[in-house]
Coordinates of all heavy atoms in Angstrom, one line a residue:
M236 N 157.3 163.9 91.0 CA 158.7 163.8 91.3 C 159.0 164.9 92.3 O 158.6 166.1 92.1 CB 159.6 163.9 90.1 CG 161.0 163.9 90.4 SD 162.0 163.4 89.1 CE 162.7 164.9 88.5
I237 N 159.8 164.6 93.4 CA 160.1 165.7 94.3 C 161.6 166.0 94.2 O 162.5 165.1 94.2 CB 159.9 165.1 95.8 CG1 158.4 164.9 95.9 CG2 160.4 166.1 96.8 CD1 158.1 164.1 97.2
S238 N 161.9 167.3 94.0 CA 163.3 167.7 93.7 C 164.1 167.5 95.0 O 163.6 167.7 96.1 CB 163.3 169.2 93.3 OG 164.6 169.6 93.3
S239 N 165.3 167.0 94.8 CA 166.2 166.8 96.0 C 166.6 168.1 96.6 O 167.2 168.0 97.7 CB 167.4 166.0 95.5 OG 168.1 166.7 94.6
C240 N 166.4 169.3 96.0 CA 166.8 170.5 96.6 C 165.9 170.9 97.8 O 166.2 171.8 98.5 CB 167.0 171.6 95.6 SG 165.5 172.1 94.8
Y241 N 164.7 170.3 97.9 CA 163.8 170.6 99.0 C 164.0 169.5 100.1 O 163.9 168.3 99.8 CB 162.3 170.6 98.5 CG 162.0 171.8 97.6 CD1 161.5 171.6 96.3 CD2 162.2 173.1 98.1 CE1 161.2 172.6 95.5 CE2 161.9 174.1 97.3 CZ 161.4 173.9 96.0 OH 161.1 175.0 95.2
H242 N 164.2 170.0 101.3 CA 164.3 169.0 102.4 C 163.0 169.1 103.2 O 162.8 169.8 104.1 CB 165.5 169.4 103.3 CG 166.8 169.4 102.6 ND1 167.4 168.2 102.2 CD2 167.5 170.3 102.0 CE1 168.5 168.4 101.6 NE2 168.6 169.7 101.4
G243 N 162.0 168.4 102.7 CA 160.7 168.4 103.3 C 160.4 167.1 104.0 O 161.2 166.2 104.1
V244 N 159.2 167.0 104.6 CA 158.8 165.8 105.3 C 157.6 165.3 104.6 O 156.7 165.9 104.3 CB 158.4 166.2 106.8 CG1 157.8 165.0 107.5 CG2 159.5 166.8 107.5
L245 N 157.7 164.0 104.2 CA 156.6 163.3 103.5 C 155.7 162.8 104.6 O 156.1 162.1 105.5 CB 157.1 162.2 102.6 CG 157.9 162.7 101.4 CD1 158.5 161.5 100.7 CD2 157.1 163.5 100.5
G246 N 154.4 163.1 104.5 CA 153.5 162.6 105.4 C 152.3 162.0 104.7 O 152.2 162.1 103.5
S247 N 151.4 161.4 105.4 CA 150.2 160.8 104.8 C 149.2 161.9 104.5 O 148.9 162.8 105.2 CB 149.6 159.8 105.8 OG 148.5 159.2 105.2
A248 N 148.6 161.7 103.3 CA 147.5 162.6 102.9 C 146.2 161.7 102.7 O 145.9 161.3 101.6 CB 147.8 163.3 101.6
H249 N 145.6 161.3 103.8 CA 144.6 160.3 103.8 C 143.4 160.7 102.9 O 142.9 159.8 102.2 CB 144.0 160.1 105.2 CG 145.1 159.6 106.2 ND1 145.6 158.3 106.1 CD2 145.7 160.2 107.2 CE1 146.5 158.2 107.1 NE2 146.6 159.3 107.8
D250 N 143.0 161.9 102.9 CA 141.8 162.3 102.1 C 142.1 162.3 100.6 O 141.2 162.3 99.8 CB 141.4 163.7 102.5 CG 140.8 163.7 103.9 OD1 140.4 162.7 104.3 OD2 140.8 164.8 104.5
H251 N 143.4 162.3 100.2 CA 143.7 162.4 98.8 C 144.3 161.1 98.2 O 144.5 161.0 97.0 CB 144.8 163.5 98.5 CG 144.3 164.8 99.1 ND1 143.3 165.6 98.5 CD2 144.8 165.6 100.2 CE1 143.1 166.7 99.2 NE2 144.0 166.7 100.2
G252 N 144.5 160.2 99.1 CA 145.1 158.9 98.7 C 146.5 159.0 98.2 O 147.0 158.1 97.5
G253 N 147.2 160.0 98.5 CA 148.6 160.2 98.1 C 149.5 160.6 99.2 O 149.2 160.3 100.3
T254 N 150.6 161.2 98.8 CA 151.6 161.6 99.8 C 151.7 163.2 99.8 O 151.6 163.8 98.8 CB 153.0 161.1 99.4 OG1 152.9 159.7 99.3 CG2 154.0 161.4 100.4
L255 N 151.8 163.7 101.0 CA 151.8 165.2 101.2 C 153.3 165.6 101.5 O 153.9 165.0 102.4 CB 150.9 165.6 102.3 CG 150.8 167.0 102.7 CD1 150.1 167.8 101.5 CD2 150.0 167.2 103.9
L256 N 153.8 166.5 100.8 CA 155.1 167.1 101.1 C 155.0 168.3 102.0 O 154.3 169.2 101.6 CB 155.9 167.5 99.8 CG 157.2 168.2 99.9 CD1 158.2 167.2 100.6 CD2 157.7 168.7 98.6
V257 N 155.6 168.3 103.1 CA 155.5 169.4 104.1 C 156.9 170.1 104.1 O 157.9 169.4 104.4 CB 155.1 168.9 105.5 CG1 155.1 170.0 106.5 CG2 153.8 168.1 105.4
L258 N 156.9 171.4 103.9 CA 158.1 172.2 103.8 C 158.0 173.3 104.9 O 157.0 173.9 105.1 CB 158.3 172.8 102.4 CG 158.3 171.9 101.3 CD1 158.3 172.6 100.0 CD2 159.6 171.0 101.3
K259 N 159.2 173.6 105.4 CA 159.3 174.7 106.3 C 159.8 175.9 105.4 O 160.8 175.8 104.7 CB 160.4 174.5 107.4 CG 159.9 173.5 108.5 CD 161.0 173.4 109.5 CE 160.6 172.4 110.6 NZ 161.6 172.3 111.6
R260 N 159.1 177.0 105.5 CA 159.5 178.2 104.8 C 159.4 179.4 105.7 O 158.6 179.4 106.6 CB 158.5 178.5 103.6 CG 158.4 177.4 102.6 CD 159.6 177.3 101.6 NE 160.7 176.6 102.2 CZ 161.9 176.6 101.8 NH1 162.3 177.4 100.8 NH2 162.9 175.9 102.4
R261 N 160.2 180.4 105.5 CA 160.2 181.6 106.2 C 159.6 182.7 105.3 O 159.5 182.6 104.1 CB 161.6 182.0 106.6 CG 162.2 181.1 107.7 CD 163.6 181.6 108.1 NE 164.1 180.8 109.2 CZ 165.0 179.8 109.1 NH1 165.5 179.6 107.9 NH2 165.4 179.1 110.1
V262 N 159.2 183.8 105.9 CA 158.7 185.0 105.2 C 159.7 185.3 104.1 O 160.9 185.4 104.4 CB 158.4 186.2 106.1 CG1 158.0 187.4 105.3 CG2 157.3 185.8 107.1
G263 N 159.2 185.5 102.9 CA 160.1 185.9 101.8 C 160.6 184.7 101.0 O 161.1 184.8 99.9
E264 N 160.5 183.5 101.6 CA 160.9 182.3 100.9 C 159.8 181.7 100.0 O 158.6 182.0 100.3 CB 161.4 181.2 101.8 CG 162.7 181.6 102.6 CD 163.2 180.6 103.5 OE1 162.4 179.7 104.0 OE2 164.4 180.6 103.8
S265 N 160.1 180.9 99.0 CA 159.1 180.4 98.1 C 159.4 179.0 97.7 O 160.5 178.5 98.0 CB 159.0 181.3 96.9 OG 160.2 181.3 96.2
I266 N 158.5 178.4 97.1 CA 158.7 177.1 96.5 C 158.2 177.2 95.0 O 157.3 178.0 94.7 CB 157.9 175.9 97.2 CG1 156.4 176.1 97.2 CG2 158.5 175.7 98.6 CD1 155.7 174.9 97.7
M267 N 158.7 176.3 94.2 CA 158.3 176.3 92.8 C 157.5 175.0 92.6 O 157.9 173.9 93.1 CB 159.5 176.3 91.8 CG 160.3 177.5 91.8 SD 159.4 178.9 91.0 CE 159.2 178.2 89.4
I268 N 156.4 175.0 91.8 CA 155.6 173.9 91.4 C 155.7 173.8 89.9 O 155.2 174.7 89.2 CB 154.2 174.0 91.9 CG1 154.1 174.1 93.4 CG2 153.4 172.8 91.4 CD1 152.8 174.3 94.0
G269 N 156.4 172.9 89.4 CA 156.7 172.8 88.0 C 157.6 174.0 87.6 O 158.4 174.5 88.4
E270 N 157.4 174.5 86.4 CA 158.2 175.6 85.9 C 157.4 176.9 85.9 O 158.0 178.0 85.7 CB 158.6 175.3 84.4 CG 159.5 174.1 84.2 CD 160.9 174.3 84.8 OE1 161.4 175.5 84.7 OE2 161.4 173.4 85.4
T271 N 156.1 176.9 86.2 CA 155.3 178.1 86.0 C 154.6 178.6 87.3 O 153.9 179.6 87.2 CB 154.3 177.8 84.9 OG1 153.4 176.8 85.3 CG2 154.9 177.5 83.6
I272 N 154.7 177.8 88.4 CA 153.9 178.2 89.6 C 154.9 178.5 90.7 O 155.7 177.6 91.1 CB 152.9 177.1 90.0 CG1 151.9 176.9 88.8 CG2 152.1 177.6 91.3 CD1 150.9 175.8 89.0
T273 N 154.7 179.6 91.4 CA 155.6 180.0 92.5 C 154.6 180.3 93.7 O 153.7 181.0 93.5 CB 156.4 181.2 92.3 OG1 157.2 181.0 91.1 CG2 157.3 181.5 93.4
V274 N 154.9 179.7 94.9 CA 154.2 180.0 96.1 C 155.1 180.6 97.1 O 156.2 180.0 97.4 CB 153.6 178.7 96.7 CG1 152.8 179.0 98.0 CG2 152.7 178.0 95.7
E275 N 154.8 181.8 97.5 CA 155.7 182.6 98.4 C 155.0 182.9 99.7 O 153.8 183.2 99.8 CB 156.1 183.9 97.8 CG 157.1 184.7 98.6 CD 157.6 186.0 98.0 OE1 157.5 186.1 96.7 OE2 158.0 186.9 98.7
I276 N 155.7 182.8 100.8 CA 155.2 183.2 102.1 C 155.4 184.7 102.2 O 156.5 185.2 102.2 CB 156.0 182.4 103.3 CG1 155.9 180.9 103.1 CG2 155.4 182.9 104.6 CD1 154.5 180.3 103.0
V277 N 154.3 185.4 102.3 CA 154.3 186.9 102.3 C 154.5 187.4 103.7 O 155.3 188.3 104.0 CB 153.1 187.4 101.6 CG1 153.1 188.9 101.6 CG2 153.0 186.9 100.1
S278 N 153.7 186.9 104.6 CA 153.7 187.3 106.0 C 153.1 186.3 106.9 O 152.3 185.4 106.5 CB 153.1 188.7 106.2 OG 151.7 188.6 106.0
V279 N 153.4 186.4 108.2 CA 152.8 185.6 109.2 C 152.4 186.5 110.3 O 153.2 187.3 110.9 CB 153.8 184.5 109.8 CG1 153.2 183.7 110.9 CG2 154.3 183.6 108.7
E280 N 151.1 186.5 110.6 CA 150.5 187.4 111.6 C 149.6 186.6 112.5 O 148.6 186.1 112.1 CB 149.7 188.5 110.9 CG 150.5 189.4 110.0 CD 149.6 190.3 109.2 OE1 148.4 190.5 109.6 OE2 150.2 190.9 108.3
G281 N 150.1 186.4 113.8 CA 149.3 185.6 114.7 C 149.2 184.2 114.2 O 150.2 183.5 113.9
G282 N 148.0 183.7 114.0 CA 147.8 182.3 113.5 C 147.6 182.2 112.0 O 147.2 181.2 111.5
S283 N 147.8 183.3 111.3 CA 147.5 183.4 109.9 C 148.8 183.4 109.1 O 149.7 184.2 109.4 CB 146.7 184.6 109.5 OG 145.4 184.4 110.1
V284 N 148.9 182.7 108.0 CA 150.0 182.7 107.1 C 149.5 183.3 105.8 O 148.5 182.8 105.2 CB 150.6 181.3 106.9 CG1 151.7 181.4 105.8 CG2 151.1 180.7 108.2
H285 N 150.1 184.4 105.3 CA 149.6 185.0 104.1 C 150.5 184.5 102.9 O 151.8 184.6 103.0 CB 149.8 186.5 104.1 CG 148.9 187.1 105.2 ND1 148.2 188.3 105.0 CD2 148.5 186.7 106.4 CE1 147.5 188.5 106.1 NE2 147.7 187.6 107.0
V286 N 149.9 183.9 102.0 CA 150.6 183.2 100.9 C 150.3 183.9 99.6 O 149.2 184.2 99.3 CB 150.2 181.7 100.8 CG1 150.8 181.0 99.7 CG2 150.4 181.0 102.1
G287 N 151.4 184.1 98.8 CA 151.2 184.7 97.5 C 151.5 183.6 96.4 O 152.4 182.8 96.6
I288 N 150.6 183.5 95.4 CA 150.7 182.5 94.4 C 150.8 183.2 93.0 O 150.0 184.0 92.7 CB 149.5 181.6 94.4 CG1 149.3 180.9 95.8 CG2 149.6 180.5 93.3 CD1 148.0 180.2 96.0
D289 N 151.9 182.9 92.3 CA 152.1 183.4 91.0 C 151.9 182.2 90.0 O 152.7 181.3 90.1 CB 153.5 184.0 90.9 CG 153.8 184.6 89.5 OD1 152.8 184.8 88.7 OD2 154.9 184.8 89.2
A290 N 150.9 182.2 89.2 CA 150.6 181.1 88.3 C 150.0 181.7 87.0 O 149.4 182.8 87.0 CB 149.6 180.2 89.0
P291 N 150.1 180.9 86.0 CA 149.5 181.3 84.7 C 148.0 181.5 84.8 O 147.4 180.8 85.7 CB 149.8 180.2 83.7 CG 151.0 179.5 84.4 CD 150.8 179.7 85.8
G292 N 147.4 182.3 84.0 CA 146.0 182.6 84.1 C 145.1 181.3 83.9 O 144.0 181.3 84.4
A293 N 145.6 180.4 83.2 CA 144.9 179.1 82.9 C 144.8 178.2 84.1 O 144.1 177.2 84.1 CB 145.5 178.4 81.7
V294 N 145.6 178.5 85.2 CA 145.6 177.6 86.3 C 144.6 178.1 87.3 O 144.7 179.3 87.7 CB 147.0 177.6 87.0 CG1 147.0 176.8 88.3 CG2 148.1 177.0 86.0
E295 N 143.7 177.3 87.7 CA 142.7 177.7 88.7 C 143.2 177.4 90.1 O 143.7 176.4 90.4 CB 141.4 176.8 88.5 CG 140.2 177.2 89.3 CD 139.0 176.5 88.9 OE1 139.0 175.6 88.1 OE2 137.9 176.8 89.6
V296 N 143.2 178.5 90.9 CA 143.6 178.4 92.3 C 142.4 178.5 93.2 O 141.7 179.5 93.1 CB 144.7 179.5 92.6 CG1 145.1 179.5 94.1 CG2 145.9 179.4 91.6
K297 N 142.2 177.5 94.1 CA 141.1 177.5 95.0 C 141.6 177.4 96.4 O 142.7 176.8 96.7 CB 140.2 176.3 94.7 CG 139.6 176.4 93.3 CD 138.7 175.2 93.2 CE 138.0 175.1 91.8 NZ 137.1 173.9 91.7
R298 N 140.8 177.9 97.4 CA 141.1 177.6 98.8 C 140.7 176.2 99.1 O 139.6 175.8 98.9 CB 140.3 178.6 99.6 CG 140.8 180.0 99.5 CD 139.9 181.0 100.3 NE 139.5 180.5 101.6 CZ 138.8 181.3 102.4 NH1 138.5 182.5 102.1 NH2 138.5 180.8 103.6
G299 N 141.6 175.4 99.7 CA 141.4 174.0 99.9 C 140.3 173.7 100.9 O 139.6 172.7 100.7
E300 N 140.1 174.5 101.9 CA 139.1 174.2 102.9 C 137.7 174.3 102.3 O 136.7 173.8 102.9 CB 139.2 175.1 104.1 CG 138.8 176.5 103.9 CD 139.9 177.5 103.4 OE1 140.9 177.0 103.0 OE2 139.6 178.7 103.4
R301 N 137.6 174.9 101.2 CA 136.3 175.0 100.5 C 136.1 173.8 99.6 O 134.9 173.5 99.1 CB 136.1 176.3 99.7 CG 136.1 177.5 100.6 CD 135.8 178.7 99.7 NE 135.9 179.9 100.6 CZ 134.9 180.5 101.1 NH1 133.7 180.0 100.9 NH2 135.0 181.6 101.8
E302 N 137.1 173.0 99.3 CA 137.0 171.9 98.4 C 137.1 170.5 99.1 O 136.7 169.6 98.6 CB 138.2 172.0 97.3 CG 138.1 173.3 96.5 CD 136.9 173.4 95.7 OE1 136.4 172.3 95.1 OE2 136.3 174.5 95.6
I303 N 137.8 170.5 100.2 CA 138.1 169.2 100.9 C 137.2 169.1 102.1 O 137.3 169.9 103.0 CB 139.6 169.1 101.3 CG1 140.5 169.3 100.1 CG2 139.9 167.8 102.0 CD1 141.9 169.6 100.4
P304 N 136.3 168.1 102.1 CA 135.3 168.0 103.3 C 136.0 167.9 104.6 O 135.5 168.5 105.6 CB 134.6 166.7 103.0 CG 134.7 166.5 101.5 CD 136.1 167.1 101.1
H305 N 137.1 167.3 104.7 CA 137.8 167.1 106.0 C 138.2 168.5 106.5 O 138.1 168.8 107.7 CB 139.1 166.3 105.8 CG 140.0 166.3 107.0 ND1 139.6 165.6 108.2 CD2 141.2 166.8 107.2 CE1 140.6 165.8 109.1 NE2 141.6 166.5 108.5
C306 N 138.6 169.4 105.7 CA 139.0 170.8 106.1 C 137.8 171.6 106.6 O 137.9 172.4 107.5 CB 139.8 171.5 105.0 SG 141.4 170.8 104.6
R307 N 136.7 171.4 105.9 CA 135.5 172.1 106.3 C 135.1 171.7 107.8 O 134.7 172.5 108.5 CB 134.3 171.8 105.4 CG 134.4 172.6 104.1 CD 133.1 172.5 103.4 NE 132.9 171.2 102.9 CZ 133.0 170.8 101.6 NH1 133.2 171.7 100.7 NH2 132.7 169.6 101.2
Q308 N 135.3 170.4 108.1 CA 135.0 170.0 109.5 C 135.9 170.7 110.5 O 135.4 171.1 111.5 CB 135.1 168.5 109.6 CG 134.1 167.7 108.8 CD 134.4 166.2 108.7 OE1 135.3 165.8 109.3 NE2 133.6 165.5 108.0
L309 N 137.1 170.9 110.2 CA 138.1 171.5 111.1 C 137.7 173.0 111.3 O 138.0 173.5 112.3 CB 139.5 171.3 110.6 CG 140.0 169.9 110.6 CD1 141.4 169.9 110.0 CD2 140.1 169.3 112.0
Q310 N 137.3 173.6 110.2 CA 137.0 175.0 110.3 C 135.7 175.3 111.1 O 135.6 176.4 111.6 CB 136.7 175.6 108.8 CG 138.0 175.5 108.0 CD 139.1 176.5 108.4 OE1 138.8 177.6 108.8 NE2 140.3 176.0 108.4
G311 N 134.7 174.4 111.1 CA 133.4 174.6 111.6 C 133.4 174.5 113.1 O 132.7 174.9 113.9

């Protein structure tokens, strides 16, 4: 379920078979995932976005380009 308080763009997520929510955020702004996960934009430097993730210890956080074959192709 997507909260109506977020004005994002729904796009296709071909590799996942689902829908991808794309949000615009500025430095210092964050989004909530459920009740326990917060993702905050910490800084933007050149072409890099530094993201802070606050999640319970039981939640495994991984870098997507290491898990999704499509992203590995783009990095290489």
Side-chain angles (χ1 to χ4, degrees):
M236 176 157 104
I237 299 171
S238 173
S239 62
C240 64
Y241 291 120
H242 299 285
V244 176
L245 292 176
S247 176
H249 301 290
D250 292 336
H251 306 289
T254 301
L255 180 68
L256 175 64
V257 179
L258 302 171
K259 289 183 181 180
R260 300 283 84 197
R261 293 185 173 101
V262 172
E264 294 182 335
S265 61
I266 61 168
M267 294 286 300
I268 301 173
E270 297 292 322
T271 60
I272 301 171
T273 303
V274 179
E275 181 177 341
I276 305 303
V277 177
S278 67
V279 178
E280 299 173 11
S283 295
V284 178
H285 297 220
V286 177
I288 302 170
D289 183 16
V294 174
E295 188 173 1
V296 178
K297 297 180 180 181
R298 290 175 44 176
E300 72 275 10
R301 296 186 183 261
E302 300 298 320
I303 304 168
H305 172 70
C306 291
R307 279 194 292 253
Q308 291 172 2
L309 294 176
Q310 295 292 321

